[in-house]
Amino acid sequence: LSDIATAVEQATEGSVTAADFTAQATVANYAADYDFLSGAPENATLEGFLFPKTYDLRDGDTADSIIRMMLDQFRTETASLDWSYPESQGLSIYDAVNLASIVEKESSGDEQIRSQVAAVFYNRLSPDNQETYGYLQSDATTAFEVGHDPSGDEVQADTPYSTYANPGLPPTPICSPSIDCLQAVCAPASDYGDYYYFIFWTNDAGETEYAFSKTYDEHQAAIAEHL
């Protein structure tokens, strides 16, 4: 949201300030007009729903008109998505966007990888699983909170966005997820129902590779081999 607000201020040459845009971008201001915001906390920002796209702004645009442009785009882009799978897992659309924002930060541009990462996070979310007991343990959620790659101490600290200290989803989405990551959350890999861990690294060719594991011991072995 802060990045988008800054971009809006620059694009409008200051006629819409970042502060004004941020103040306007709250769920309470738009929940009545956009049904996909149903279930979102009214005091939450619109983090996650300002759809990532190139927008043509016009003279006279306001924070409200720009936000509505972005929310309209979200509605258009997601119109064909089937939310039945996340709903079957007890997630609202707001929760699904929240999860997709984590998938966005934790996966590469590969469709298969995104769906596999989404499946792993669904598995981890289950409080009954015997590997993670409902903890996502994503560094990306803490990175959103602290504004940089977090240290080991930071991800373990008992703060609202620490998914090491708190089970379940963080309080809000951590970015505006792409349509591809939203699709991955709507249709996670069906053959990854018993995977709970993954790591990724950059190979010698500069490409990102992933290794998925079912158990903590397998995960530690993958770390020892690749990291």
Coordinates of all heavy atoms in Angstrom, one line a residue, residues 24-27 29-31 33-34 36-37 46-51 55 64-78:
Q24 N -7.5 7.1 2.6 CA -8.8 6.8 1.9 C -8.9 5.3 1.7 O -10.0 4.7 1.6 CB -8.8 7.5 0.5 CG -10.1 7.2 -0.3 CD -11.3 7.8 0.4 OE1 -11.3 8.7 1.2 NE2 -12.5 7.2 0.1
A25 N -7.7 4.6 1.6 CA -7.7 3.2 1.2 C -8.0 2.2 2.4 O -7.2 1.5 2.8 CB -6.4 2.8 0.6
T26 N -9.2 2.3 2.9 CA -9.7 1.5 4.0 C -10.9 0.7 3.6 O -11.7 1.1 2.8 CB -10.0 2.3 5.3 OG1 -11.1 3.1 5.0 CG2 -8.8 3.2 5.7
V27 N -11.0 -0.5 4.2 CA -12.1 -1.4 3.9 C -13.5 -0.7 4.2 O -14.4 -0.8 3.4 CB -12.0 -2.7 4.7 CG1 -13.3 -3.5 4.6 CG2 -10.9 -3.5 4.2
N29 N -14.5 2.2 3.8 CA -14.9 3.2 2.8 C -15.5 2.5 1.5 O -16.2 3.1 0.7 CB -13.7 4.1 2.3 CG -13.4 5.1 3.4 OD1 -14.2 5.4 4.2 ND2 -12.1 5.5 3.4
Y30 N -15.3 1.2 1.4 CA -15.6 0.5 0.1 C -16.4 -0.8 0.3 O -16.9 -1.4 -0.7 CB -14.4 0.3 -0.8 CG -13.7 1.6 -1.1 CD1 -12.7 2.1 -0.4 CD2 -14.2 2.4 -2.2 CE1 -12.1 3.3 -0.6 CE2 -13.6 3.6 -2.4 CZ -12.6 4.1 -1.7 OH -12.0 5.3 -2.0
A31 N -16.5 -1.3 1.5 CA -17.1 -2.6 1.7 C -18.6 -2.7 1.2 O -19.0 -3.7 0.7 CB -17.1 -3.0 3.2
D33 N -19.8 -1.3 -1.5 CA -19.8 -1.3 -2.9 C -19.1 -2.5 -3.6 O -19.3 -2.7 -4.8 CB -19.2 0.0 -3.5 CG -20.0 1.2 -3.1 OD1 -21.2 1.1 -2.8 OD2 -19.4 2.3 -2.9
Y34 N -18.3 -3.2 -2.8 CA -17.5 -4.3 -3.4 C -17.7 -5.6 -2.5 O -17.2 -5.6 -1.4 CB -16.1 -3.9 -3.5 CG -15.8 -2.8 -4.4 CD1 -15.8 -1.5 -4.0 CD2 -15.6 -3.0 -5.8 CE1 -15.6 -0.4 -4.8 CE2 -15.4 -2.0 -6.7 CZ -15.4 -0.7 -6.2 OH -15.2 0.4 -7.1
F36 N -16.6 -8.5 -2.6 CA -15.4 -9.3 -2.3 C -14.7 -8.8 -1.0 O -13.9 -9.5 -0.5 CB -14.4 -9.4 -3.4 CG -14.0 -8.1 -4.0 CD1 -13.1 -7.3 -3.3 CD2 -14.5 -7.6 -5.2 CE1 -12.7 -6.0 -3.9 CE2 -14.1 -6.4 -5.7 CZ -13.2 -5.6 -5.1
L37 N -15.1 -7.7 -0.5 CA -14.6 -7.2 0.8 C -15.4 -7.7 2.0 O -15.0 -7.4 3.1 CB -14.5 -5.7 0.8 CG -13.5 -5.0 -0.2 CD1 -13.6 -3.5 -0.2 CD2 -12.1 -5.4 0.1
L46 N -6.8 -1.5 2.5 CA -7.1 -2.3 1.3 C -5.9 -3.0 0.7 O -5.9 -3.4 -0.4 CB -7.7 -1.4 0.2 CG -9.1 -0.8 0.5 CD1 -9.5 0.3 -0.6 CD2 -10.1 -1.9 0.5
E47 N -4.9 -3.2 1.6 CA -3.7 -4.0 1.2 C -4.2 -5.3 0.7 O -5.0 -6.0 1.3 CB -2.9 -4.2 2.5 CG -1.5 -4.9 2.2 CD -0.5 -3.9 1.6 OE1 -0.1 -3.0 2.3 OE2 -0.1 -4.1 0.4
G48 N -3.7 -5.7 -0.5 CA -4.0 -6.9 -1.2 C -5.1 -6.8 -2.3 O -5.2 -7.7 -3.2
F49 N -5.9 -5.7 -2.2 CA -7.0 -5.6 -3.2 C -6.8 -4.5 -4.2 O -7.7 -4.4 -5.1 CB -8.3 -5.4 -2.4 CG -8.8 -6.6 -1.6 CD1 -8.3 -6.8 -0.3 CD2 -9.6 -7.5 -2.2 CE1 -8.7 -7.9 0.4 CE2 -10.0 -8.6 -1.4 CZ -9.6 -8.8 -0.1
L50 N -5.7 -3.8 -4.1 CA -5.4 -2.8 -5.1 C -4.7 -3.5 -6.2 O -3.5 -3.6 -6.2 CB -4.6 -1.6 -4.5 CG -5.3 -1.0 -3.3 CD1 -4.4 0.0 -2.6 CD2 -6.6 -0.3 -3.7
F51 N -5.4 -3.9 -7.2 CA -4.9 -4.9 -8.2 C -3.7 -4.4 -8.9 O -3.7 -3.3 -9.4 CB -6.0 -5.3 -9.2 CG -5.6 -6.6 -9.9 CD1 -5.9 -7.8 -9.3 CD2 -4.9 -6.6 -11.1 CE1 -5.5 -9.0 -9.9 CE2 -4.6 -7.8 -11.7 CZ -4.8 -9.0 -11.1
Y55 N -2.2 1.6 -14.8 CA -3.4 2.4 -14.9 C -3.1 3.8 -15.5 O -2.1 4.4 -15.3 CB -3.9 2.7 -13.5 CG -4.4 1.4 -12.8 CD1 -3.5 0.6 -12.0 CD2 -5.7 0.9 -12.9 CE1 -4.0 -0.5 -11.4 CE2 -6.1 -0.2 -12.3 CZ -5.3 -1.0 -11.5 OH -5.7 -2.1 -10.9
D64 N -10.1 8.6 -4.1 CA -11.3 7.8 -4.2 C -11.4 7.2 -5.7 O -11.7 6.0 -5.8 CB -12.6 8.5 -3.8 CG -13.8 7.7 -4.0 OD1 -14.0 6.7 -3.3 OD2 -14.6 8.0 -4.9
S65 N -11.3 8.0 -6.7 CA -11.5 7.5 -8.0 C -10.4 6.5 -8.4 O -10.7 5.6 -9.2 CB -11.6 8.7 -9.0 OG -10.4 9.4 -9.2
I66 N -9.2 6.8 -8.0 CA -8.1 5.9 -8.3 C -8.3 4.5 -7.6 O -8.1 3.5 -8.2 CB -6.8 6.5 -8.0 CG1 -6.5 7.8 -8.8 CG2 -5.6 5.5 -8.2 CD1 -5.4 8.6 -8.4
I67 N -8.7 4.6 -6.3 CA -8.9 3.4 -5.6 C -10.1 2.6 -6.2 O -10.0 1.3 -6.4 CB -9.2 3.7 -4.1 CG1 -8.0 4.2 -3.4 CG2 -9.8 2.5 -3.4 CD1 -8.2 4.8 -2.1
R68 N -11.1 3.2 -6.6 CA -12.2 2.5 -7.3 C -11.8 1.9 -8.6 O -12.3 0.8 -9.0 CB -13.4 3.5 -7.5 CG -14.1 3.8 -6.2 CD -15.4 4.7 -6.4 NE -16.0 5.0 -5.1 CZ -16.8 4.2 -4.4 NH1 -17.2 3.1 -4.9 NH2 -17.3 4.6 -3.2
M69 N -10.9 2.6 -9.3 CA -10.4 2.0 -10.6 C -9.7 0.7 -10.3 O -9.8 -0.3 -11.0 CB -9.4 3.0 -11.2 CG -9.0 2.8 -12.6 SD -7.7 4.0 -13.1 CE -8.5 5.6 -12.7
M70 N -8.9 0.7 -9.2 CA -8.1 -0.5 -8.8 C -9.0 -1.6 -8.3 O -8.8 -2.8 -8.6 CB -7.0 -0.1 -7.9 CG -6.1 0.9 -8.4 SD -4.8 1.4 -7.2 CE -3.6 0.1 -7.6
L71 N -10.0 -1.3 -7.5 CA -11.0 -2.3 -7.0 C -11.8 -2.8 -8.2 O -12.1 -4.0 -8.2 CB -11.8 -1.7 -5.9 CG -11.1 -1.3 -4.6 CD1 -12.1 -0.6 -3.7 CD2 -10.5 -2.5 -4.0
D72 N -12.2 -2.0 -9.1 CA -12.9 -2.4 -10.3 C -12.1 -3.4 -11.1 O -12.6 -4.5 -11.6 CB -13.3 -1.3 -11.2 CG -14.4 -0.4 -10.6 OD1 -15.1 -0.8 -9.6 OD2 -14.6 0.7 -11.1
Q73 N -10.8 -3.1 -11.2 CA -9.9 -4.1 -11.9 C -9.8 -5.4 -11.1 O -9.8 -6.4 -11.8 CB -8.5 -3.4 -12.0 CG -7.6 -4.2 -12.9 CD -8.0 -4.1 -14.4 OE1 -8.5 -3.1 -14.8 NE2 -7.9 -5.2 -15.1
F74 N -9.7 -5.3 -9.8 CA -9.7 -6.6 -9.0 C -10.9 -7.4 -9.3 O -10.9 -8.6 -9.6 CB -9.6 -6.3 -7.5 CG -9.6 -7.5 -6.6 CD1 -8.4 -8.0 -6.2 CD2 -10.8 -8.1 -6.3 CE1 -8.3 -9.2 -5.4 CE2 -10.7 -9.3 -5.5 CZ -9.5 -9.8 -5.0
R75 N -12.1 -6.8 -9.4 CA -13.4 -7.5 -9.6 C -13.3 -8.1 -11.0 O -13.8 -9.2 -11.2 CB -14.5 -6.5 -9.5 CG -15.9 -7.2 -9.7 CD -17.0 -6.4 -9.1 NE -17.0 -5.0 -9.5 CZ -17.7 -4.1 -8.9 NH1 -18.5 -4.4 -7.8 NH2 -17.7 -2.8 -9.3
T76 N -12.8 -7.3 -12.0 CA -12.8 -7.8 -13.4 C -11.8 -9.0 -13.5 O -12.1 -10.1 -14.1 CB -12.3 -6.7 -14.3 OG1 -13.3 -5.7 -14.3 CG2 -12.1 -7.2 -15.8
E77 N -10.6 -8.9 -12.9 CA -9.6 -9.9 -13.0 C -10.0 -11.2 -12.3 O -9.7 -12.3 -12.7 CB -8.3 -9.4 -12.4 CG -7.7 -8.2 -13.1 CD -6.9 -8.6 -14.3 OE1 -6.6 -9.8 -14.6 OE2 -6.5 -7.6 -15.1
T78 N -10.8 -11.1 -11.2 CA -11.1 -12.3 -10.4 C -12.5 -12.8 -10.7 O -12.9 -13.8 -10.1 CB -11.0 -12.0 -8.9 OG1 -12.0 -10.9 -8.6 CG2 -9.6 -11.5 -8.5

